[in-house]
Amino acid sequence: MTLLCHINDIDDDSSKGFNLGEDSLFAVKKGGSVFIYRNKCPHLGVELNWLEHQFLDSEQALIHCTTHGALFLIEDGACVAGPCLGKSLEAVSFDLIDGQIHLR
Ligand code: FES
């Protein structure tokens, strides 16, 4: 297991990017829950963000790919608008132990 960060290191209704060697991931916190995905758009396989740690749309309601504007649900990564409609972000499994996020 890899320690990512403490849950309090991510603000509610915001996102945070992480680079772990070759792997680029991001976490989103919503309603006190954390969701983690690989930073790879299912459309062209590129990273979703242009600005560091900014993976959400302007309302902080959906995950946003800056390349062609695809939108994804925070809760399950499903694409709900854009060129990869029907596909999903790849979720990363983790365990929360004493507030610390450990990747599986
Ligand atoms: S690469 Fe993400 S929408 Fe095209």
Side-chain angles (χ1 to χ4, degrees), residues 5 8 16 27 32 41 49 51-52 54-55 66 80 82 89 93-94 101 104:
C5 67
N8 292 343
K16 195 173 176 89
C41 182
N49 62 315
L51 297 174
E52 195 179 15
Q54 294 193 17
F55 293 86
T66 44
V80 292
L89 296 170
S93 304
F94 62 93
I101 298 170
R104 284 191 202 144

Short mmCIF file of all heavy atoms in Angstrom, two decimals, residues 5 8 16 27 32 41 49 51-52 54-55 66 80 82 89 93-94 101 104:
data_model
loop_
_atom_site.label_atom_id
_atom_site.label_comp_id
_atom_site.label_asym_id
_atom_site.label_seq_id
_atom_site.Cartn_x
_atom_site.Cartn_y
_atom_site.Cartn_z
N CYS A 5 -1.98 10.68 1.17
CA CYS A 5 -2.02 11.90 1.99
C CYS A 5 -3.08 11.71 3.07
O CYS A 5 -3.74 10.67 3.13
CB CYS A 5 -2.36 13.13 1.15
SG CYS A 5 -4.03 13.13 0.48
N ASN A 8 -7.61 15.28 5.31
CA ASN A 8 -7.75 16.72 5.55
C ASN A 8 -6.82 17.55 4.67
O ASN A 8 -6.90 18.78 4.67
CB ASN A 8 -7.49 17.05 7.03
CG ASN A 8 -8.57 16.49 7.92
OD1 ASN A 8 -9.65 16.15 7.46
ND2 ASN A 8 -8.29 16.39 9.21
N LYS A 16 -7.17 17.51 -6.07
CA LYS A 16 -5.73 17.61 -5.84
C LYS A 16 -5.05 16.54 -6.70
O LYS A 16 -5.50 15.39 -6.70
CB LYS A 16 -5.45 17.36 -4.36
CG LYS A 16 -4.08 17.76 -3.88
CD LYS A 16 -4.03 17.61 -2.36
CE LYS A 16 -2.67 17.88 -1.80
NZ LYS A 16 -2.42 19.26 -1.46
N ALA A 27 -7.38 13.25 -6.75
CA ALA A 27 -8.41 12.96 -5.76
C ALA A 27 -9.39 14.13 -5.73
O ALA A 27 -9.01 15.28 -5.90
CB ALA A 27 -7.77 12.77 -4.39
N GLY A 32 -17.37 15.33 2.17
CA GLY A 32 -16.53 14.62 3.13
C GLY A 32 -15.99 13.29 2.61
O GLY A 32 -15.17 12.67 3.28
N CYS A 41 -7.68 10.82 -19.51
CA CYS A 41 -9.01 10.95 -20.11
C CYS A 41 -9.31 9.74 -20.99
O CYS A 41 -8.47 9.35 -21.82
CB CYS A 41 -9.07 12.23 -20.94
SG CYS A 41 -10.69 12.49 -21.66
N ASN A 49 -6.05 17.79 -16.76
CA ASN A 49 -5.92 19.18 -16.30
C ASN A 49 -4.79 19.92 -17.00
O ASN A 49 -3.78 19.33 -17.38
CB ASN A 49 -5.65 19.20 -14.80
CG ASN A 49 -4.37 18.50 -14.42
OD1 ASN A 49 -4.07 17.41 -14.89
ND2 ASN A 49 -3.59 19.14 -13.59
N LEU A 51 -4.08 23.13 -15.43
CA LEU A 51 -3.58 23.82 -14.24
C LEU A 51 -3.44 22.81 -13.11
O LEU A 51 -4.30 21.93 -12.95
CB LEU A 51 -4.53 24.95 -13.83
CG LEU A 51 -4.69 26.07 -14.85
CD1 LEU A 51 -5.77 27.05 -14.41
CD2 LEU A 51 -3.36 26.80 -15.04
N GLU A 52 -2.36 22.98 -12.32
CA GLU A 52 -2.10 22.05 -11.24
C GLU A 52 -3.29 21.97 -10.28
O GLU A 52 -3.83 23.00 -9.86
CB GLU A 52 -0.84 22.50 -10.48
CG GLU A 52 -0.27 21.43 -9.59
CD GLU A 52 0.99 21.90 -8.87
OE1 GLU A 52 1.25 23.10 -8.84
OE2 GLU A 52 1.69 21.03 -8.32
N GLN A 54 -6.33 21.35 -10.61
CA GLN A 54 -7.67 21.81 -11.02
C GLN A 54 -8.31 20.81 -11.98
O GLN A 54 -8.02 20.81 -13.18
CB GLN A 54 -7.58 23.20 -11.63
CG GLN A 54 -7.16 24.21 -10.58
CD GLN A 54 -7.36 25.64 -11.02
OE1 GLN A 54 -8.08 25.92 -11.96
NE2 GLN A 54 -6.70 26.55 -10.33
N PHE A 55 -9.19 19.98 -11.40
CA PHE A 55 -9.84 18.93 -12.17
C PHE A 55 -11.35 19.11 -12.24
O PHE A 55 -12.03 18.29 -12.85
CB PHE A 55 -9.54 17.56 -11.53
CG PHE A 55 -8.09 17.18 -11.63
CD1 PHE A 55 -7.18 17.60 -10.67
CD2 PHE A 55 -7.62 16.42 -12.69
CE1 PHE A 55 -5.84 17.26 -10.76
CE2 PHE A 55 -6.29 16.07 -12.79
CZ PHE A 55 -5.39 16.50 -11.82
N THR A 66 -9.86 19.31 -19.71
CA THR A 66 -9.65 20.62 -20.35
C THR A 66 -9.38 20.50 -21.84
O THR A 66 -9.50 21.49 -22.56
CB THR A 66 -8.48 21.36 -19.68
OG1 THR A 66 -7.42 20.45 -19.49
CG2 THR A 66 -8.88 21.93 -18.35
N VAL A 80 -20.48 12.05 -18.66
CA VAL A 80 -21.88 12.41 -18.88
C VAL A 80 -22.04 13.43 -20.00
O VAL A 80 -23.15 13.76 -20.38
CB VAL A 80 -22.54 12.93 -17.58
CG1 VAL A 80 -22.68 11.80 -16.57
CG2 VAL A 80 -21.76 14.09 -16.98
N GLY A 82 -19.61 15.09 -23.65
CA GLY A 82 -18.34 15.20 -24.36
C GLY A 82 -18.07 13.99 -25.23
O GLY A 82 -18.90 13.08 -25.33
N LEU A 89 -13.73 7.29 -16.25
CA LEU A 89 -12.38 7.40 -15.69
C LEU A 89 -12.07 6.11 -14.95
O LEU A 89 -12.99 5.42 -14.48
CB LEU A 89 -12.32 8.57 -14.72
CG LEU A 89 -12.54 9.95 -15.32
CD1 LEU A 89 -12.70 10.98 -14.21
CD2 LEU A 89 -11.38 10.33 -16.22
N SER A 93 -8.44 2.24 -6.21
CA SER A 93 -8.92 1.76 -4.92
C SER A 93 -8.00 2.22 -3.80
O SER A 93 -6.78 2.31 -3.97
CB SER A 93 -8.94 0.22 -4.90
OG SER A 93 -9.72 -0.25 -5.95
N PHE A 94 -8.60 2.49 -2.66
CA PHE A 94 -7.78 2.92 -1.52
C PHE A 94 -8.49 2.52 -0.23
O PHE A 94 -9.67 2.21 -0.21
CB PHE A 94 -7.55 4.43 -1.56
CG PHE A 94 -8.82 5.25 -1.46
CD1 PHE A 94 -9.28 5.69 -0.22
CD2 PHE A 94 -9.55 5.56 -2.58
CE1 PHE A 94 -10.44 6.46 -0.12
CE2 PHE A 94 -10.72 6.30 -2.50
CZ PHE A 94 -11.16 6.76 -1.27
N ILE A 101 -5.03 8.24 3.60
CA ILE A 101 -5.46 7.55 2.39
C ILE A 101 -4.31 6.66 1.91
O ILE A 101 -3.22 7.17 1.58
CB ILE A 101 -5.83 8.57 1.28
CG1 ILE A 101 -7.00 9.43 1.76
CG2 ILE A 101 -6.16 7.86 -0.02
CD1 ILE A 101 -7.29 10.62 0.85
N ARG A 104 -4.31 0.98 -2.72
CA ARG A 104 -4.14 -0.49 -2.66
C ARG A 104 -3.15 -0.98 -3.69
O ARG A 104 -3.00 -0.37 -4.72
CB ARG A 104 -5.49 -1.16 -2.91
CG ARG A 104 -6.35 -1.06 -1.70
CD ARG A 104 -7.59 -1.94 -1.81
NE ARG A 104 -8.59 -1.43 -0.91
CZ ARG A 104 -9.91 -1.42 -1.14
NH1 ARG A 104 -10.36 -1.93 -2.26
NH2 ARG A 104 -10.74 -0.93 -0.27
#
